Amino acid sequence: MSPKKLIILDVYENGAYDIQQELRIKYQKTLNMVVEIVSITNREGLETVFKEHEPQIVIHAAAHKHVPLMERNCIEAVENNVFGTLNVIELCEEYNAERFMMVSTDKAVNPTNVMGATKRMCEMIVQCYSTFGKV
């Protein structure tokens, strides 16, 4: 797709590093790529990235996904999945991103656990912004 710049944002530096290395090998110097390490729950850190890079397209896949771990750590599931998603989409609005896409393998129509409920709330946030927001 030949982007002007690809910003990889993750809280887990090992995964971001692996992706960076794979893309460097495949695309060498033809891809302008930046790696940023920040949690989507860190609103100030996330905003710094938006200010610096002003992304046009945001693909959001930062969600906790493992049901047993999230049942045991409900607060973290809500904080990351719900409030983190809200941070990302609000900053997309504030910094005039043209497109926002949430990637989720879960279909949370009738959630049966905390993790599913957080994913459903994310879907509802995105639906609301797609109706009333600019992104």
Side-chain angles (χ1 to χ4, degrees):
M1 296 177 69
S2 302
K4 288 182 191 173
K5 183 191 301 183
L6 176 65
I7 300 121
I8 298 168
L9 185 142
D10 203 333
V11 69
Y12 181 58
E13 76 273 12
N14 290 338
Y17 178 80
D18 289 345
I19 292 168
Q20 175 190 39
Q21 294 309 105
E22 186 176 329
L23 291 172
R24 278 190 175 157
I25 290 166
K26 184 166 183 165
Y27 295 101
Q28 298 172 5
K29 296 183 189 222
T30 63
L31 179 62
N32 181 9
M33 175 179 41
V34 176
V35 176
E36 300 286 1
I37 304 299
V38 67
S39 171
I40 62 170
T41 62
N42 176 351
R43 173 75 184 230
E44 289 178 18
L46 196 56
E47 186 166 17
T48 298
V49 173
F50 271 79
K51 278 181 187 175
E52 181 178 343
H53 300 291
E54 297 179 335
Q56 289 177 291
I57 300 169
V58 175
I59 301 170
H60 170 58
H64 290 314
K65 300 162 183 64
H66 300 287
V67 173
L69 293 175
M70 292 306 98
E71 289 300 300
R72 173 110 176 99
N73 299 280
C74 300
I75 293 170
E76 180 60 27
V78 172
E79 179 73 22
N80 186 76
N81 293 0
V82 178
F83 294 111
T85 297
L86 186 59
N87 284 341
V88 173
I89 201 159
E90 285 179 346
L91 288 168
C92 283
E93 289 286 323
E94 187 175 334
Y95 287 89
N96 299 310
E98 294 172 18
R99 296 273 186 249
F100 173 87
M101 180 174 69
M102 185 175 78
V103 177
S104 177
T105 57
D106 303 301
K107 303 298 177 237
V109 176
N110 293 310
T112 59
N113 54 53
V114 170
M115 194 273 311
T118 66
K119 296 305 233 33
R120 179 67 185 127
M121 291 176 74
C122 291
E123 290 173 357
M124 294 168 74
I125 290 167
V126 172
Q127 287 172 339
C128 179
Y129 274 87
S130 71
T131 302
F132 300 106
K134 297 176 281 189
V135 181

